[in-house]
Amino acid sequence: MKKVLTTVTLFIMVILVISLMVLNAGAWNNSLAKTPPMGWNSWNIFAGNIDETKIKQIADTMVSSGMKDAGFVYLNLDDNWMANPARDSSGNLRADPTRFPSGMKSLSDYVHAKGLKLGIYGCRGTMTCMNVPQSGSKGYEDRDAKTFASWGIDYLKYDNCNIPNGSDMKTDYQKMQSALANCGRPIVFSICAWGYADWMPATGNLWRTTGDIADKWDNGTNWFNGIINAIDNNSKYTNSATPGAWNDPDMLEVGNKGCTTEEYRTQFSMWSMMAAPLIAGNDIRSMTQATKDILLNKEVIDVDQDPAGKQGSRVKSANGLEVWVKPLGTDGKTKAVALLNRNSSTSSITVNWSDIGITGSATVRDLWAKADKGSFNGSYTASVPSHGTVLVKISTAQTSTSTSAPTLTPTATPTPTPTAVVTQRSAFSKLEAESYNSLNSTTIQTVTTVNGGSGIGYINNGNYLVFNKIDFGSGATSFKALVADSGTANIEIRLNSPTGTLAGTLQVASTSDWNTYQEQTCSINKVTGVNDVYLVFSGAVNIDWFTFAGTVNTPTSTAAIFTGDLNNDGVVNMADVIILAGSFNSVRGDTKYNPLYDANGDGSINMADVVIIAGKFNSVVTKTAS
Ligand code: GLA
């Protein structure tokens, strides 16, 4: 009995420790930026054309316009603040003596006296992106961090240009991280390397997930992201955001005149939904009222600054109409919901309570209209202008335990294209999803996939596709599908009727969005002979093709998976669990995902794998304890 109790206690301890670690997996805790940083940066509006007079006027306006009181406290200089060449004869960085005649210490004193903080810009290479000679910190990391500290700098944006051969990005950023940690002043570290890497949350307080922002709505796949492109790119890393560590889709373009007011409202709404840094990039000395109304909307800012620090995500997407949710606080009773219209005309968008995990009656407040909309049961619908976003706060009295998968409510006419003649097909060939023989839904549509082919989308809960006369020969034991999903869903593989024998269930893990396709696999009970295959869906998923295989699809692992000895040191212990925790919440295709740690080979690393390792962990502890 004692042994059982010890085992149970140990198991619970492991789960608790892992849960705590996973909550803050990998974030750098320098106690800064516990909510997404807010401020202003010179690049989007002035590029390299900055001087001390202009920057002091910006500081004055940050106070007089109400920006400071709204939370915008970092005044960040971008490229070209430095002299040319950038270093003095001793090798220390210096400000441009003509444009910043009083020097950086004097400027930071001015900024600090206003209750603001001063940010500066540097680069991991030999020169910044404007190629100012000697301006890079390569080899000068400690010295430059100390210089910044002596000037009273509070924030460093660290760029990625002019990299000498043989440099390693991670090493360079870690060097500046430790230089900042040892410079004697708290300095927020903003990584600007134009894309996410899994070491970034442990290295900086924020990291750019995108190329540079452009003052445009949609710039396709160009390195300069339009607002909608940056939203899509940044939404791929939802799980990496946590207090002190934020995904950065780049600075705001609000007020820079290249987009409509609705588009700028979408930028501000969606940056807030994604817990992104809110760094204004316009000439705040001459803001229109419309720009002020966006930047100073405290209720929207509060969504961004929610102390729980969760990045919101897309839960529903159909025909360019999207629903996003961000939990606010930790009691599960309040959520921010964004209804985003990517299309060129006004449309109604509905959020169903089941999309966001609540039930019953809930109150709705519109954060742009600044109006309470009343109490609603089950859903809320709003009219959303082209490229606009309606942002609402939805509050329930009771926390719901519902975690049901999102459902889609497409509005377009379905265009099913069933295969007319039923011929026998091999289960082991690639079966295109759109080659179904029949289906039970009028909403399902054929969609174009990014790889140029077709797939099936607009699937609702309970929909199924039927593939007649599929020949399993002497036996199939696994199922594989190419799927895209911005949430999660289940695909049941049933035989000969929608409620027939359940061969297996593919638990589809999120692939971040509806256009990112990944192969996902599950094992099934052995199926032989010719059967009609029913793919029965709960939750929304896009599916391109599927196939079956004759052997159980085990992960590409070695014995490590089966022993739990992930570090191969001959014993299963906490060290192995810690290794697994580093990949927690990743799915096949993520940079964090390591098939060796996917103990059950289901394509995602989660509590189920911890449980498997923990089971082995207990037995080892029992054996080694005296
Ligand atoms: C890069 C960065 C921009 C800006 C410029 C300055 O392009 O991504 O945000 O800092 O450099 O040269």
Side-chain angles (χ1 to χ4, degrees), residues 160-216:
N160 189 36
C161 283
N162 297 301
I163 312 303
N165 283 343
S167 300
D168 174 60
M169 183 190 277
K170 176 177 171 186
T171 309
D172 287 350
Y173 278 100
Q174 285 178 340
K175 267 195 190 152
M176 186 46 94
Q177 174 190 29
S178 78
L180 292 176
N182 296 316
C183 75
R185 185 175 174 85
I187 297 182
V188 170
F189 190 28
S190 160
I191 295 174
C192 176
W194 318 318
Y196 174 82
D198 59 3
W199 48 266
M200 290 178 178
T203 309
N205 296 112
L206 59 157
W207 51 88
R208 278 271 293 279
T209 54
T210 61
D212 281 13
I213 193 88
D215 187 15
K216 291 184 173 175

Side-chain angles (χ1 to χ4, degrees), residues 112-123:
H112 289 151
K114 303 223 156 249
L116 301 168
K117 293 171 186 285
L118 187 65
I120 210 159
Y121 165 94
C123 184

Side-chain angles (χ1 to χ4, degrees), residues 41 43-44 47-48 77-80 121-123 128-131 157-161 192-194 208 210-213 223-224 250-251:
N41 172 292
W43 183 254
N44 283 356
L77 304 178
D78 209 278
D79 208 345
N80 209 36
Y121 165 94
C123 184
T128 63
C129 297
M130 282 187 69
N131 299 332
K157 172 176 168 183
Y158 202 49
D159 216 335
N160 189 36
C161 283
C192 176
W194 318 318
R208 278 271 293 279
T210 61
D212 281 13
I213 193 88
W223 190 80
F224 288 93
D250 207 357
M251 301 168 294

